[in-house]
Amino acid sequence: MRNVLISGAGVAGGTLAWFLARDGWTVTVVERAAGPRTGGQAVDVRGVALDVVDRMGLGERLRAKRTRMRGMSVVDGAGQELYRSEEFTHSSGRLDSADFELLRDDAVAILHEATADRVEYVFGDSITALTEDAHGVRVKFEHGGFRTFDLVVGADGPHSAVRRLAFGPEERFSTHLGQYLAIFPAPNFLGLEDWQLWVRHEETGGAVYPVRDNTELRVTLGFGSAPLPPMSVPEQKRLVAEQLAGVGWEMPKLLAAMAEAEVFYFDAMAQIHLDRWSAGRVVLVGDAGYCASALSGQGTSLALAGAYVLAQELGRAGHEEAFAAYERRMRPFVALNQALATENPTGGPSEESLARAKNALTLG
């Protein structure tokens, strides 16, 4: 029986688990969090990724959770509107597109529900060592002892433990893009109704948009910075507050909400570049192997497409040939999508570049 361990229960891990379980694999997913992760920003499903979710039979469920913005405004520190659009938003693109945007935690929850009866999920644990021999990979878990698998997949994000164990330290593969983002939920104290607001002040700013039928806000705050040392969550919140203290507008209220937020994400905008995505029986998918950063708007679509292609190739050949074919097919697609993040870091990629990148893959 073919058995595989996937590290990470996010979009890439959940999608790969779905396809491999369908194809008869025995699938185990290990996730450091205590359950499916909550929080995070709205993410986009675009281009070929739309075909992936439809082939899973999950397209309708995911689209039902889409955000439904009517448009957006850009304001200055005094709250004066500088620009507005009812045709597109910075986060999701054109509002009349077949592409759609939904909260990351909704996508993760749907993938978990769709696989929970066929996949073994191990929450609250992580991989601490990998030892490969001719027959498999012996995996040491932080809390769960040892187990052996035919294959191990790192789908555990840009700070992947699997990548570190199988390929080397993160600093060898991470390219800092000069920005940091903080993301957290808050009550909709601004009274926004399906409308997105952006504020910009020098190298700082943020975005606020309502979700959950306008009952909640998702707040994204950002600032420019060279790489920073590791910090605790309280230290991260203090730094964000210091960096954005002079922005004006509703920022004091947003920073007060951040101080109270129990769910909080903070990280550098960075990309991951490796010469190869596999080492023996270990392979990387999604952000673990080729993070494009939130600045590309394509991280979720890369995760969906990458998981699909990897599963498809594993259904055609042994792992060595499958991993090689997966890389051949995905690398041009990844390169185009990673380039989106650096094309125009402040204003986002052009419609022409995004159109080329999001469809530059044939699923077969």
Side-chain angles (χ1 to χ4, degrees), residues 16-219:
L16 183 62
W18 191 95
F19 282 109
L20 291 181
R22 181 202 64 178
D23 293 343
W25 287 73
T26 299
V27 181
T28 300
V29 177
V30 61
E31 166 60 53
R32 178 182 293 275
R37 290 181 184 265
T38 59
Q41 63 187 351
V43 298
D44 299 295
V45 181
R46 293 170 164 160
V48 296
L50 297 170
D51 292 333
V52 174
V53 298
D54 287 337
R55 293 183 187 197
M56 299 171 75
L58 298 178
E60 184 175 345
R61 290 177 63 187
L62 291 165
R63 287 180 178 89
K65 293 290 187 178
R66 68 188 303 166
T67 60
R68 301 189 182 277
M69 297 297 113
R70 295 180 291 109
M72 68 163 198
S73 298
V74 179
V75 301
D76 63 15
Q80 297 296 311
E81 187 174 82
L82 304 175
Y83 177 82
R84 73 161 37 214
S85 174
E86 296 182 6
E87 296 180 352
F88 70 93
T89 68
H90 285 326
S91 69
S92 64
R94 292 196 60 86
L95 300 179
D96 59 359
S97 171
D99 304 336
F100 66 95
E101 177 187 71
L102 77 164
L103 293 176
R104 183 188 183 277
D105 40 0
D106 285 341
V108 168
I110 289 171
L111 287 166
H112 177 252
E113 291 167 7
T115 53
D117 62 341
R118 296 178 293 158
V119 171
E120 177 193 10
Y121 279 89
V122 180
F123 289 106
D125 209 345
S126 61
I127 299 171
T128 59
L130 300 170
T131 305
E132 182 174 340
D133 60 27
H135 305 291
V137 184
R138 190 167 188 254
V139 178
K140 182 180 180 181
F141 294 91
E142 184 177 3
H143 303 298
F146 292 86
R147 292 174 63 178
T148 298
F149 299 88
D150 294 328
L151 302 177
V152 173
V153 181
D156 44 352
H159 305 300
S160 169
V162 171
R163 187 186 63 235
R164 174 175 51 80
L165 293 169
F167 297 85
E170 182 175 316
E171 54 266 27
R172 290 172 51 188
F173 312 114
S174 181
T175 300
H176 182 63
L177 299 181
Q179 297 185 45
Y180 279 81
L181 289 185
I183 302 169
F184 56 92
N188 188 3
F189 55 81
L190 296 178
L192 294 178
E193 294 186 4
D194 301 327
W195 193 263
Q196 197 174 98
L197 288 175
W198 292 73
V199 59
R200 290 179 180 170
H201 176 74
E202 298 177 353
E203 289 192 354
T204 63
V208 185
Y209 49 91
V211 297
R212 311 280 190 232
D213 295 324
N214 297 311
T215 62
E216 178 186 316
L217 297 178
R218 288 294 165 98
V219 183

Side-chain angles (χ1 to χ4, degrees), residues 254-267:
L254 295 175
L255 294 177
M258 178 185 71
E260 300 297 322
E262 296 182 4
V263 178
F264 178 76
Y265 167 91
F266 177 83
D267 205 353

Side-chain angles (χ1 to χ4, degrees), residues 88 90 177 179 198 200 269 271 292-297 336-354 356:
F88 70 93
H90 285 326
L177 299 181
Q179 297 185 45
W198 292 73
R200 290 179 180 170
M269 292 297 94
Q271 291 189 340
S293 86
L295 300 177
S296 74
L336 283 170
N337 282 284
Q338 287 186 324
L340 295 175
T342 55
E343 178 186 275
N344 183 10
T346 58
S350 67
E351 287 189 30
E352 294 79 10
S353 296
L354 180 57
R356 286 195 303 271

